[in-house]
Amino acid sequence: MQRTEYPLLSPSLGSQKTLVAFHFGVAGAGPKVYIQASLHAEELPGMLVAHHLRERLEAAERAGHFRGEVILVPAANPIGLSQRLDHRAMGRFEFDTAQNFNRHYPDMAAAVLEAALPIMGNDAGANVDTVRRLVGQWLTQWQPASELESLRRQLLLLSHDADLVLDLHCDTEAVMHLYSEEACWAPFEPLARLLGCRAVLLARESGGGPFDERLSGLWWQLAAALKNAGVTAPLPQACASTTVELRGEADVSHKLARQDAQAIEAFLLHAGVLGGQPTPNLPPMACEPTPLAGSQTLRSPVPGVLVFLARPGDRLSVGDVVAEVIDPTAGSARVHAVRAEVQGVFYAAVRERYIVAGGEVGKIAGPTPFRSGDLLGA
Ligand SMILES: [Zn+2]
């Protein structure tokens, strides 16, 4: 294992942050997996999973079990980790730009299209190598204008040529779930089983340029753009990436993190990155995948005290009361019921128990698409 520190752009005199990555295995020997945690810096379960996974990967390396390569970035957002306001962590949006740390990643398919057009051939594997080289060159020449851009560039430099990418997040209060593009579902079905996902949310493209989708979207979007330009060269889906939501923000415990690290190690065995021991049996799926466009974000039209009647993990029917919003100051007491408008698993709830008009209550994984446009929240 090699530990490497990557300096970010210094935004101010006397200030210099670094990103730390652990490199396991041998580059080019087999599949490459990139795993990062806590890109939203207050989402800490992944950081603890990375701590336990690192021990397991070090042991696998000592035992000679590596058949490929793993890059593990246990704290992917040193900028967000340092942001605090009123004694609270503020790791989702950068203070300087108000940008979400997991949006606005560059469209690498568009960036390399022109260079790729004349040099694609008939060999799919060679085309993958060519595209990875072009993307690597494009990232290398990218001159970041800010500390935030330098973070995005460094994360992509480490991950752009990976076969599998796991971006470890969590929700506020939630059960285990994951997001992925439809093109990536088959390689991640074993991971969903091993982690015991209670919801799997698939989209063709969520929008907004999140980290995971820029890496997997590169391939199907570039393949479509080549086809549109009349180039028939084969270009497979060379990267599958997923955002794993490791339950809720408070679910930081050794018991859960060890369990999740073990599941990820088992996934690495399934993916052929690790060998030297029997591939573990896959447990049954704990849910059916549903479209992200079918996920209902529950909102309250009125302000008040938020009291949940349902808990994350509950299976709801249309009309079930998820929560009540209570105005204790009204002349006659007002209790507003927030009801499920789709059936499915109530997979995430907000943390705060006071809600403003239009505020978000939680999310239900419904089976039927009904949304369009940008599918991710703020
Ligand atoms: Zn997140």
Side-chain angles (χ1 to χ4, degrees):
M1 187 270 286
Q2 190 185 339
R3 179 184 183 278
T4 310
E5 290 187 8
Y6 298 93
L8 302 185
L9 184 148
S10 167
S12 181
L13 300 177
S15 173
Q16 174 82 72
K17 294 187 183 66
T18 54
L19 186 75
V20 171
F22 296 104
H23 300 243
F24 300 89
V26 182
K32 171 177 172 176
V33 181
Y34 174 85
I35 304 171
Q36 71 178 21
S38 306
L39 180 57
H40 287 141
E42 73 274 57
E43 298 174 4
L44 299 172
M47 218 185 277
L48 188 61
V49 169
H51 167 74
H52 288 289
L53 184 60
R54 173 189 170 179
E55 278 176 24
R56 289 176 166 273
L57 295 180
E58 283 179 311
E61 203 169 46
R62 280 194 301 273
H65 288 169
F66 262 85
R67 305 288 181 265
E69 178 189 11
V70 172
I71 293 183
L72 177 63
V73 175
N77 185 359
I79 305 169
L81 271 178
S82 69
Q83 294 186 164
R84 298 186 69 82
L85 185 68
D86 295 342
H87 303 282
R88 294 178 71 174
M90 294 281 158
R92 188 174 184 84
F93 302 94
E94 195 207 24
F95 278 171
D96 188 38
T97 59
Q99 286 187 2
N100 186 322
F101 283 108
N102 191 25
R103 304 287 187 274
H104 311 291
Y105 277 78
D107 182 344
M108 295 180 287
V112 302
L113 174 63
E114 205 170 310
L117 273 171
I119 54 174
M120 291 285 105
N122 293 325
D123 181 336
N127 289 340
V128 169
D129 291 344
T130 300
V131 170
R132 285 179 172 161
R133 179 173 52 77
L134 291 175
V135 171
Q137 286 169 354
W138 184 80
L139 290 169
T140 304
Q141 62 76 41
W142 176 12
Q143 298 287 327
S146 66
E147 187 182 43
L148 177 56
E149 275 192 13
S150 78
L151 175 65
R152 289 178 180 141
R153 175 178 176 271
Q154 188 57 59
L155 295 175
L156 291 175
L157 276 169
L158 290 166
S159 59
H160 72 278
D161 55 352
D163 302 281
L164 295 162
V165 173
L166 276 59
D167 193 7
L168 305 181
H169 289 243
C170 71
D171 213 302
T172 44
E173 291 180 10
V175 287
M176 179 75 81
H177 59 285
L178 67 76
Y179 298 91
S180 190
E181 290 191 308
E182 288 161 5
C184 308
W185 170 231
F188 286 128
E189 199 211 60
L191 181 69
R193 289 172 183 255
L194 289 158
L195 286 170
C197 283
R198 307 281 295 282
V200 168
L201 298 135
L202 301 181
R204 183 160 185 274
E205 182 185 14
S206 304
F211 173 80
D212 67 332
E213 287 198 358
R214 285 304 195 203
L215 291 162
S216 51
L218 162 66
W219 298 96
W220 65 263
Q221 287 166 16
L222 185 58
L226 289 169
K227 205 173 165 189
N228 281 344
V231 176
T232 55
L235 190 66
Q237 182 65 38
C239 170
S241 64
T242 178
T243 291
V244 179
E245 303 281 345
L246 297 166
R247 309 177 193 84
E249 284 178 8
D251 294 319
V252 179
S253 74
H254 284 305
K255 180 171 178 282
L256 291 173
R258 282 197 188 100
Q259 185 181 310
D260 297 341
Q262 186 178 6
I264 292 172
E265 186 187 26
F267 174 68
L268 296 176
L269 276 156
H270 266 274
V273 185
L274 297 177
Q277 50 185 306
T279 307
N281 290 331
L282 292 177
M285 276 289 291
C287 68
E288 286 295 315
T290 51
L292 181 55
S295 171
Q296 186 202 352
T297 299
L298 299 150
R299 294 186 183 279
S300 172
V302 294
V305 179
L306 180 62
V307 186
F308 280 101
L309 275 65
R311 295 306 305 146
D314 287 355
R315 281 193 166 274
L316 302 178
S317 301
V318 174
D320 283 355
V321 178
V322 178
E324 291 176 344
V325 180
I326 293 169
D327 176 2
T329 69
S332 56
R334 177 179 54 64
V335 177
H336 172 81
V338 177
R339 295 177 186 275
E341 290 168 28
V342 301
Q343 66 164 63
V345 175
F346 178 47
Y347 64 94
V350 295
R351 180 186 47 222
E352 291 183 5
R353 294 300 187 259
Y354 180 75
I355 191 164
V356 295
E360 190 177 323
V361 173
K363 290 173 276 193
I364 303 172
T368 311
F370 67 94
R371 298 188 299 144
S372 57
D374 280 357
L375 297 175
L376 299 172

